[in-house]
Structure formats: structure tokens, C-alpha cells
């Protein structure tokens, strides 16, 4: 490990992972590193900002799909609430759309979970020095995939459709008229080249656009 990646003091890390066993294992393994200290562990996305404000970590290690609030949304909140905290996304879902959204939210790194913990420790040190750390294969895929074609409103409407809600239910959730919801759904279906809104949701999720 390059010497310049070692900070003078311990790196304070916040860990957000909804699977308890995975969270515990990561905390244990990172804790074995002499210069890394896990100062907070949370299992839901809506707990991240409060934990960060309370513990002031140097690096927040966030999963994407969390109950309460996604890690990507929390990353954007941390940029405003705890600006000195660097965000490193660690996820099972290496999707190009997720990478783009993570970078837009201010994340300093994006890694998938199938790598060794030693690489994760190095990545934590690197983002603390100001570097951006991205899984190389995912970076290449993101460049070839291009940006999401969905507008923010189309994303909102599709997200409100995830549980099979009716158009009327969606309209209430997103504060739009039913006719406007139908228009956004139709547009999203066309952009995802699918036949209905549930297929559009699946296609958008596979690309990491939701």
C-alpha cells in the first residue's frame, strides 16, 4: 500500500448497510486496519445524516438500496449537512446509472461488493486524500451506456409505481393530476422501450436509473 495513502490519524468511518451480518462483518474487518475506526453503523438510509452529524466521520461508506432512504439520496444530503465527509458507495448493484447518480450526488467513490476488503480499505484512504475511486469496469460501462433518458418527474412517477399503485394513488403521491401522471408514464414507457409501466420500472432499475 502506498505510504501517502495512510493518514496521520485514524480514518473515522460511518457504515450504512441494511443486512446486519454484512454490516457486522464489514465493521469487524475494517476495524482490523490499524488506521481505520468505524464510529457509526446504521441499517437504514434515513438514519445516515443524523448519525453523521453526531459522529462527524471522515468517510461514509453507503449501500444504495436501503430502507427509508436510498444511499444516493443520503449522499446528496451529506454533501450539504456534513461537507467534510467523503462518500464512498459500496453496492451489490454495479449499474452504470447508479454510478452517474452517485457522482451527481457528490460521491467520491463507487465500488462493488465482490472485491477484497483490502481494496476497500485502500479506497477509503484514497478518497480521504481527495481522490475519486471508481470500479474500472463500471466506469467503462457508464461511459458506453450514456446518461439516463428519464426526466426527474418521470423518475418520480415510475418510483411511485413500484408497488403497483393505481394512477390515482400515484397522482396523490407525486402531487400531480392523473392526466399528467399518465403522460409521464407513457413517456417513460416509450423511453425504456417497454410495453407497460411495470416493465418500464424493471428496465429502469436494471439500468440504475431509479
Amino acid at each position: 500500500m502506498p505510504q501517502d495513502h495512510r493518514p496521520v490519524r485514524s480514518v473515522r468511518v460511518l457504515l450504512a448497510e441494511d443486512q446486519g451480518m454484512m454490516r457486522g462483518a464489514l465493521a469487524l474487518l475494517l476495524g482490523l486496519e490499524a488506521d481505520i475506526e468505524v464510529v457509526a453503523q446504521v441499517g437504514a438510509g434515513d438514519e445516515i445524516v443524523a448519525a453523521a452529524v453526531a459522529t462527524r466521520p471522515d468517510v461514509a461508506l453507503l449501500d444504495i438500496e436501503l430502507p427509508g432512504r436510498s444511499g444516493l439520496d443520503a449522499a446528496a444530503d451529506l454533501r450539504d449537512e456534513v461537507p467534510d465527509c467523503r462518500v464512498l458507495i459500496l453496492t451489490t448493484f454495479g449499474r452504470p446509472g447508479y454510478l452517474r447518480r452517485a457522482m451527481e450526488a457528490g460521491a467520491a467513490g463507487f465500488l462493488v461488493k465482490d472485491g477484497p476488503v483490502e481494496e476497500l480499505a485502500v479506497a477509503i484512504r484514497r478518497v480521504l486524500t481527495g481522490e475519486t475511486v471508481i470500479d474500472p469496469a463500471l466506469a467503462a460501462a457508464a461511459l458506453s451506456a450514456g446518461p439516463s433518458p428519464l426526466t426527474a418527474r418521470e423518475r418520480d412517477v415510475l418510483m411511485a409505481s413500484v408497488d403497483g399503485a393505481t394512477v390515482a394513488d400515484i397522482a396523490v403521491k407525486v402531487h400531480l393530476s392523473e392526466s399528467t401522471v399518465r403522460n409521464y408514464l407513457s413517456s417513460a414507457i416509450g423511453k425504456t422501450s417497454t410495453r407497460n409501466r411495470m416493465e418500464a420500472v424493471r428496465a429502469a432499475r436494471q439500468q440504475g436509473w431509479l
Side-chain angles (χ1 to χ4, degrees):
M1 176 179 56
Q3 185 64 30
D4 61 355
H5 288 160
R6 287 186 179 273
V8 174
R9 62 179 178 82
S10 293
V11 183
R12 295 169 59 81
V13 174
L14 178 150
L15 179 58
E17 163 64 53
D18 63 326
Q19 297 182 23
M21 186 175 295
M22 172 68 75
R23 185 171 65 250
L26 280 173
L28 178 62
L29 291 170
L30 289 174
L32 295 175
E33 299 289 324
D35 57 350
I36 293 177
E37 178 187 6
V38 178
V39 296
Q41 300 180 47
V42 299
D46 50 9
E47 299 173 352
I48 291 171
V49 174
V53 169
T55 60
R56 294 290 165 177
D58 300 305
V59 177
L61 188 59
L62 310 182
D63 195 1
I64 290 179
E65 295 196 353
L66 295 166
R69 189 167 178 79
S70 80
L72 296 177
D73 291 334
D77 291 340
L78 286 175
R79 180 178 53 191
D80 298 329
E81 299 291 334
V82 193
D84 293 335
C85 177
R86 303 279 281 172
V87 172
L88 180 59
I89 299 293
L90 180 66
T91 181
T92 304
F93 306 101
R95 297 168 182 167
Y98 278 163
L99 172 57
R100 287 181 174 274
R101 289 170 57 198
M103 297 299 102
E104 290 169 0
F110 194 109
L111 299 175
V112 292
K113 291 180 181 177
D114 59 0
V117 72
E118 291 82 7
E119 289 184 7
L120 176 58
V122 170
I124 289 171
R125 299 181 185 107
R126 289 177 61 190
V127 298
L128 189 60
T129 66
E131 294 186 49
T132 298
V133 182
I134 300 174
D135 180 89
L138 185 58
L143 287 173
S144 63
S148 168
L150 300 175
T151 66
R153 275 303 196 182
E154 288 163 354
R155 284 189 61 244
D156 290 343
V157 169
L158 281 183
M159 284 296 295
S161 304
V162 168
D163 59 0
T166 66
V167 169
D169 292 335
I170 297 169
V172 171
K173 287 181 182 179
V174 297
H175 308 291
L176 296 171
S177 69
E178 292 183 27
S179 61
T180 301
V181 166
R182 290 191 182 93
N183 288 338
Y184 281 131
L185 286 173
S186 177
S187 178
I189 290 167
K191 289 179 178 180
T192 53
S193 301
T194 53
R195 296 172 297 179
N196 55 58
R197 58 182 163 129
M198 297 314 297
E199 287 186 4
V201 168
R202 284 194 293 271
R205 277 188 154 178
Q206 288 170 357
Q207 291 295 325
W209 296 337
L210 296 183

